Amino acid sequence: MQENRKLKIPTLTKTRKRSDYFWAYCMIAPTMLGLFIFYLWPIIQTFYFSFTEWGAFGQYAWAGLSNYKRMLHDSNLLQSFKNTGIYIIFTVPIGIFLSIIVAVLLNQKIKGKSVYRTLYFLPVITMPAAIAMVWKWLYNSDYGLLNYLLSIFGIKGPQWVSDPKIALYSVIVVAIWSGIGYNMVIFLSGLQGIPKTYYEAAEIDGAGPIKVFFKITLPLLTPVIFFVTVMSLIGAFQVFDLIFMMIGTGSPALEHTQSIVYLFYQHAFVLNDKGYAAAIAVLLLFIILIITAIQMVLQKKWVHYD
């Protein structure tokens, strides 16, 4: 009778394990070093500088909580939060809704589908400065295209980017238009990941396109919607380039359009008040972290991963 021999699995020696770990850490070292130098270290520096007061020639001194106490009485900061809030309320839901509609339409079997997808994605690969300059020309109250079209019907066009009442909404329109293409691509990938068997079963049951959209497409697309919502909110909180390029520094609408990041820019690079600017950046960081954490908790109630 032959003896049962157990299969011996070779084990790595301690020296071999240490060698593997060493080379593994060497491979990820450049990435980790880049993350520390360009991300973690600036965050640490910003947090420290938020407790300092800056003077001329780059000199600074410890100021404690004075910068954070100053925020409580800063009307410009409150106004910038209000402007950013209005910007978020309009750009995020409307942008996501339009992106879903466009993605669903371009996911159908239509002629020239690739051309339409390319046209919608072009603003994404275009420099924000170029987009802002083109739209600033369109919004020009004297020779802009929009006011020219309105004049054909005898309507006097408004001051799109200099009227404090509508300047922010003019920027919002540009932001929604330029962001549809990026979200559309993400939603298209999510739509193409939905099994076709669901649609075939719905067709057999006689469900119409609207019912299919709300009962199948939308629920199965919720993980992608959640991702796009989180990223869109973070991006909306950091809006700067469109406001900087479209609204001039001497514009009467600047106070009603400047965002939190724009206010940070003013204090950091124009007024040389880097300590207060760092405090604004830290406050913005914590607000984004809190809102993202709330979204992570609430996703369990409406996001369907199955």
Side-chain angles (χ1 to χ4, degrees):
M1 184 176 180
Q2 295 182 352
E3 295 181 355
N4 294 328
R5 296 182 179 180
K6 295 182 179 180
L7 182 62
K8 293 183 179 181
I9 301 176
T11 57
L12 295 174
T13 63
K14 291 183 179 180
T15 305
R16 177 69 181 278
K17 286 183 178 179
R18 290 176 182 174
S19 177
D20 289 345
Y21 280 126
F22 172 77
W23 287 110
Y25 284 124
C26 286
M27 293 297 179
I28 65 174
T31 302
M32 297 301 295
L33 188 62
L35 287 173
F36 179 78
I37 294 175
F38 297 108
Y39 289 92
L40 295 180
W41 180 243
I43 292 175
I44 296 171
Q45 282 186 311
T46 302
F47 185 74
Y48 172 76
F49 288 147
S50 67
F51 298 98
T52 61
E53 184 177 354
W54 286 64
F57 306 105
Q59 301 297 321
Y60 58 88
W62 184 261
L65 296 174
S66 61
N67 289 324
Y68 292 97
K69 292 178 182 178
R70 179 181 167 187
M71 288 181 179
L72 300 176
H73 308 285
D74 189 354
S75 59
N76 286 331
L77 181 63
L78 296 176
Q79 183 64 42
S80 66
F81 269 107
K82 179 182 177 181
N83 298 337
T84 306
I86 295 174
Y87 179 88
I88 292 171
I89 289 172
F90 282 94
T91 57
V92 175
I94 295 177
I96 292 175
F97 172 75
L98 293 177
S99 299
I100 293 175
I101 298 300
V102 172
V104 170
L105 292 175
L106 294 183
N107 197 41
Q108 308 298 321
K109 295 181 179 179
I110 57 176
K111 293 182 179 179
K113 181 167 56 178
S114 299
V115 176
Y116 291 124
R117 290 179 179 179
T118 303
L119 291 175
Y120 274 103
F121 194 74
L122 277 178
V124 180
I125 59 176
T126 306
M127 293 295 293
I131 292 175
M133 294 305 295
V134 170
W135 276 91
K136 190 174 182 179
W137 172 77
L138 293 174
Y139 280 142
N140 189 280
S141 57
D142 296 325
Y143 51 82
L145 181 62
L146 292 179
N147 280 2
Y148 170 73
L149 294 176
L150 291 175
S151 65
I152 295 177
F153 300 97
I155 302 173
K156 184 180 180 181
Q159 305 283 335
W160 296 100
V161 292
S162 58
D163 187 348
K165 295 181 180 179
I166 64 172
L168 180 59
Y169 300 100
S170 300
V171 176
I172 288 172
V173 170
V174 181
I176 294 173
W177 173 82
S178 60
I180 288 178
Y182 178 79
N183 294 335
M184 175 202 69
V185 172
I186 299 175
F187 284 127
L188 273 174
S189 64
L191 289 170
Q192 292 173 3
I194 299 176
K196 294 182 179 180
T197 53
Y198 291 105
Y199 296 106
E200 293 172 356
E203 186 178 356
I204 293 173
D205 292 339
I210 297 178
K211 191 172 184 179
V212 168
F213 175 77
F214 285 102
K215 295 296 183 180
I216 296 178
T217 303
L218 208 57
L220 294 177
L221 203 61
T222 49
V224 183
I225 296 175
F226 171 71
F227 171 78
V228 172
T229 302
V230 172
M231 299 304 296
S232 298
L233 273 172
I234 294 174
F237 268 109
Q238 301 177 42
V239 60
F240 169 76
D241 44 15
L242 289 178
I243 297 173
F244 180 77
M245 294 299 299
M246 295 181 64
I247 310 297
T249 55
S251 173
L254 181 60
E255 181 182 352
H256 296 274
T257 56
Q258 67 178 0
S259 62
I260 303 172
V261 177
Y262 190 93
L263 188 66
F264 160 81
Y265 162 79
Q266 287 285 339
H267 282 281
F269 301 103
V270 178
L271 302 176
N272 196 32
D273 192 3
K274 292 182 172 59
Y276 189 62
I280 294 174
V282 171
L283 177 62
L284 180 60
L285 172 64
F286 278 104
I287 291 174
I288 292 176
L289 287 176
I290 292 171
I291 292 178
T292 304
I294 293 173
Q295 288 179 295
M296 296 298 292
V297 174
L298 295 180
Q299 68 159 327
K300 300 177 182 178
K301 297 184 178 181
W302 65 278
V303 179
H304 307 283
Y305 289 100
D306 296 329

